[in-house]
Amino acid sequence: MKFIYTIILLLCTLFAKTQIIDSLLLDELNDCSDDEKIEVVVVMKAQYDRDVLNRRANTFSMRAERRDFVVKELKAFAKESQEGLVRLLNIFSVDMHNSISLFFANALCFSATKDVIKMISGRDDIKIIGLNKKSHLVPEISSESREITPNLSQVHAEEVWAQGYTGAGVIVAVVDSGVNYNHEDLADHLWDGGDTFPYHGYDIVNNDYDPMDDKGHG
């Protein structure tokens, strides 16, 4: 009976650890070699109580002050809760120079081997470990076909156009990583910014007058 109980306990422990590793990452771990580096996102269990954060932030009258307070608090919270994990990763020679702390969600992005990933999955301060991988959710559409892309069909854009709502005369602002203003669907529909905005907008990240998307998704 004790032997059976031990086996059940062991299986439960293994199952619990498996749940910490995302299914996509599990597939990647099974396919990669022992020395291959995998990009992962580790989300910590500890999360700042947002109600408390809002109450504390609202003591500041200026919006900029509230923002600075929230950023500072979340960064400090993330740094403290990730400290043990970072220390362990350094012991196992994980290169943390290119790691990224997603302080808003208390998550950490880095690259590591499968052995390191499996080892840290046993920590009780980690909520989930996921695969950090770029994916194209919208398929490439041939410019020759000029068909309606799936995302426009999903929001029933054609039905709206049929009712006469074409968007003519409406200026739409893009708040994102930029926009490809040379794209054939946009080139002749852009706001004329005159000499001040020769490329139809302003890049608030790079602080210049060229809002061309440099992240590949605009």
Side-chain angles (χ1 to χ4, degrees):
M1 178 65 72
K2 182 181 291 186
F3 174 77
I4 295 176
Y5 175 80
T6 303
I7 293 297
I8 293 175
L9 183 61
L10 178 61
L11 289 174
C12 289
T13 303
L14 291 174
F15 180 77
K17 288 186 177 182
T18 300
Q19 296 306 297
I20 291 178
I21 300 178
D22 179 78
S23 59
L24 292 177
L25 179 55
L26 277 176
D27 293 338
E28 190 78 10
L29 293 175
N30 292 329
D31 294 337
C32 72
S33 60
D34 291 341
D35 57 350
E36 187 176 348
K37 296 291 183 64
I38 306 171
E39 290 191 25
V40 297
V41 180
V42 176
V43 181
M44 310 301 293
K45 280 185 179 178
Q47 296 293 322
Y48 205 120
D49 188 311
R50 296 309 163 105
D51 291 333
V52 173
L53 185 63
N54 287 334
R55 285 199 299 270
R56 296 185 64 188
N58 286 333
T59 60
F60 298 92
S61 58
M62 301 297 293
R63 183 176 181 179
E65 292 177 327
R66 293 195 295 270
R67 179 190 181 280
D68 291 343
F69 169 78
V70 169
V71 170
K72 183 178 179 180
E73 280 291 297
L74 291 179
K75 282 185 175 180
F77 183 86
K79 182 179 180 180
E80 182 179 355
S81 62
Q82 295 172 15
E83 186 176 3
L85 173 61
V86 172
R87 186 164 53 244
L88 181 62
L89 292 173
N90 284 325
I91 292 175
F92 284 89
S93 301
V94 175
D95 183 9
M96 301 302 291
H97 289 94
N98 295 320
S99 65
I100 301 174
S101 178
L102 306 175
F103 62 89
F104 192 79
N106 195 11
L108 186 65
C109 302
F110 57 90
S111 299
T113 61
K114 63 194 317 181
D115 288 340
V116 172
I117 294 170
K118 290 178 180 178
M119 180 268 298
I120 66 172
S121 70
R123 293 180 60 89
D124 58 7
D125 58 349
I126 292 177
K127 181 179 181 180
I128 192 168
I129 308 175
L131 179 65
N132 187 14
K133 185 177 182 180
K134 292 182 179 180
S135 299
H136 293 281
L137 300 181
V138 178
E140 295 291 337
I141 303 298
S142 171
S143 60
E144 297 179 358
S145 69
R146 309 300 297 151
E147 63 182 279
I148 301 300
T149 56
N151 54 322
L152 292 179
S153 298
Q154 289 174 10
V155 298
H156 303 286
E158 292 176 286
E159 297 175 23
V160 175
W161 297 335
Q163 295 179 36
Y165 297 99
T166 63
V170 177
I171 297 177
V172 178
V174 176
V175 183
D176 207 314
S177 60
V179 64
N180 181 3
Y181 45 73
N182 294 323
H183 193 281
E184 58 187 300
D185 286 337
L186 302 177
D188 60 347
H189 289 77
L190 292 165
W191 168 65
D192 183 4
D195 294 335
T196 305
F197 300 97
Y199 297 105
H200 318 288
Y202 186 80
D203 187 337
I204 62 173
V205 175
N206 298 316
N207 293 320
D208 59 38
Y209 292 90
D210 187 1
M212 174 65 77
D213 173 47
D214 53 9
K215 299 295 184 183
H217 94 283

